[in-house]
Amino acid sequence: MTQVADTRGLNAWRNATRGTVALVPTMGALHDGHRRLIAHAHGEADAVAVSIFVNPLQFGPDEDFERYPRDLDSDLEICRADGVDVVFAPELHEMYPRDPEVTVSAGRMGAVFEGASRPGHFDGVLTVVAKLFQRVRPDVAIFGQKDAQQLALVERLVADLDLGVHIESVPIVRDADGLALSSRNRYLSAAERESALALPRALEAAAHEATTAASAQDAARRTLADAELQHPELSLDYATLVDRATFTKCSPDFRGDAVLVLAARVGATRVIDNATLTFG
């Protein structure tokens, strides 16, 4: 496995690499969800690149950039064990040698749901993704479905700017208790983790009541409202059915595939989850 920290080293690796390249962009703190992305990447290309970079542009002024979990040695061990060909782990000054004047706008899709709660977040995400695509020059990039809005926006970025990268998505990976894997889960205390389980339970309730879009959404909201009464540290942000491609809200009589997106604050930690539901 090759580890590079600058564009010069990355270019040398890329120019020497024959065949197709799959990129798995990450912010490190790798877990089994990332490993599933890496495994999928191996099936999509001849060589697998993983980027590890905690991107400051996607953190708000009161968010957890400074304390975001970082463990490069552990991440490298995982990448080595999983057969990654190259790890691009740049320092801040390598990705942003100066304060960026020109960035990517996520537009309307980036200003709703997670974007409404975290203004500018998706502008930062799309800016760093575009920079990584320019540097790694992947044929395909692998993203998790847990960050459904991010995935939709990356797909739109590629389509609208003609970037020529094929986007593959991988289903959510969950712990045994049902909680979707996330690097931020380590912030949760045992009691907070129990509270956070209200999100996958709400998805289960919605799936059980998925006769109509309205009934599914109502079932999720009832489950979360009940959980808020039992767990004061849990505060719901949204539980809404949306069109997967546009992130516009679904009508009560919607027909077809929709994504039920959930977000809540559990103590000081933001937790998100989602599931695709089909209405006939």
Side-chain angles (χ1 to χ4, degrees):
M1 185 184 76
T2 302
Q3 179 190 351
V4 296
D6 57 25
T7 304
R8 181 176 179 179
L10 183 61
N11 282 338
W13 175 84
R14 187 65 180 86
N15 292 336
T17 299
R18 299 292 175 260
T20 55
V21 173
L23 171 64
V24 180
T26 82
M27 292 205 300
L30 302 184
H31 50 63
D32 284 348
H34 296 109
R35 301 186 82 164
R36 189 73 60 86
L37 301 181
I38 292 169
H40 189 86
H42 279 296
E44 296 295 323
D46 300 305
V48 174
V50 171
S51 63
I52 297 174
F53 178 66
V54 183
N55 175 37
L57 264 63
Q58 66 193 71
F59 289 80
D62 298 320
E63 293 185 339
D64 58 344
F65 175 70
E66 293 299 335
R67 71 185 187 104
Y68 191 85
R70 295 164 171 85
D71 190 348
L72 183 58
D73 289 341
S74 176
D75 293 341
L76 292 173
E77 284 301 312
I78 289 172
C79 289
R80 189 173 292 108
D82 287 2
V84 171
D85 295 277
V86 66
V87 173
F88 178 46
E91 297 290 341
L92 179 61
H93 63 81
E94 174 64 28
M95 290 300 288
Y96 301 110
R98 66 194 72 82
D99 288 338
E101 190 73 29
V102 177
T103 58
V104 178
S105 170
R108 178 205 59 81
M109 281 178 64
V112 296
F113 298 105
E114 283 306 286
S117 297
R118 306 177 66 188
H121 168 69
F122 288 117
D123 293 352
V125 169
L126 296 187
T127 297
V128 79
V129 167
K131 289 171 74 70
L132 289 169
F133 286 177
Q134 283 289 107
R135 295 183 182 214
V136 180
R137 291 173 279 152
D139 299 281
V140 58
I142 317 297
F143 290 84
Q145 293 173 10
K146 187 182 81 70
D147 298 299
Q149 190 171 3
Q150 172 182 279
L151 173 61
L153 279 161
V154 169
E155 291 174 338
R156 193 62 185 261
L157 168 77
V158 169
D160 286 355
L161 299 186
D162 303 317
L163 298 185
V165 179
H166 176 65
I167 304 301
E168 282 280 318
S169 67
V170 175
I172 295 171
V173 179
R174 299 183 181 276
D175 267 328
D177 60 7
L179 192 65
L181 293 186
S182 169
S183 299
R184 288 188 169 94
N185 287 353
R186 66 186 67 191
Y187 296 158
L188 298 170
S189 67
E192 288 171 342
R193 186 180 179 95
E194 179 60 34
S195 300
L197 291 176
L199 275 72
R201 289 169 185 154
L203 295 176
E204 291 176 5
H208 183 71
E209 295 290 336
T211 52
T212 68
S215 65
Q217 184 171 271
D218 288 347
R221 289 177 175 174
R222 285 197 306 272
T223 300
L224 290 164
D226 290 345
E228 282 183 297
L229 293 175
Q230 298 174 43
H231 303 280
E233 64 271 30
L234 174 69
S235 176
L236 175 64
D237 186 349
Y238 57 79
T240 307
L241 273 166
V242 299
D243 180 282
R244 196 199 76 80
T246 65
F247 263 70
T248 54
K249 295 180 181 179
C250 294
S251 64
D253 59 351
F254 176 87
R255 295 291 183 268
D257 293 338
V259 179
L260 178 58
V261 289
L262 312 179
R265 178 76 55 180
V266 183
T269 304
R270 187 170 183 80
V271 180
I272 62 173
D273 207 339
N274 72 84
T276 300
L277 302 176
T278 301
F279 305 97

